[in-house]
Amino acid sequence: MKELLPIGSVIKTKKDSVDPIMIIGYYPIEKATQKLYEYLGTVYPRGMGGGRKLVLLNVQDINEVLFNGYKNESACKIYKTLPAVMKAALKNAPKK
């Protein structure tokens, strides 16, 4: 299992986007479809100001990592275990 990119990492997507995306969270669920994504991001460097929308994406949407965010020992543990924890939680979640 591949380790998650740290919060603050800046990536380029495979879509024809000019602006890079900064990772700001993990495992968001799209409200309308209930689809789970691996990453939550925002356009870099503008961020979330001015009513900009958040970006939902998966690892396969990433074309290039421009910058790896800061990580310490605690973060490394979380980045290694969070994917398995999320998969188990989803598996055991009540079905709608």
Side-chain angles (χ1 to χ4, degrees):
M1 182 180 315
K2 190 168 178 156
E3 190 175 305
L4 291 168
L5 289 169
I7 296 288
S9 294
V10 180
I11 57 109
K12 291 288 269 183
T13 64
K14 291 180 180 176
K15 295 179 183 176
D16 294 331
S17 174
V18 174
D19 296 319
I21 304 296
M22 184 171 65
I23 305 297
I24 61 170
Y26 304 112
Y27 297 106
I29 297 174
E30 185 176 31
K31 194 173 187 177
T33 64
Q34 294 297 298
K35 182 178 176 184
L36 177 72
Y37 289 84
E38 292 168 302
Y39 293 106
L40 177 65
T42 188
V43 176
Y44 181 85
R46 291 176 281 174
M48 295 171 37
R52 287 181 173 68
K53 294 186 179 184
L54 296 172
V55 179
L56 306 172
L57 60 142
N58 291 309
V59 69
Q60 63 264 26
D61 301 321
I62 298 172
N63 188 46
E64 180 183 3
V65 177
L66 302 173
F67 175 79
N68 264 308
Y70 172 75
K71 59 183 177 179
N72 59 16
E73 190 175 322
S74 296
C76 287
K77 288 178 186 175
I78 291 169
Y79 298 146
K80 287 179 184 175
T81 60
L82 188 58
V85 170
M86 286 302 299
K87 286 181 184 175
L90 287 171
K91 183 179 180 183
N92 297 322
K95 306 292 185 228
K96 289 185 178 183

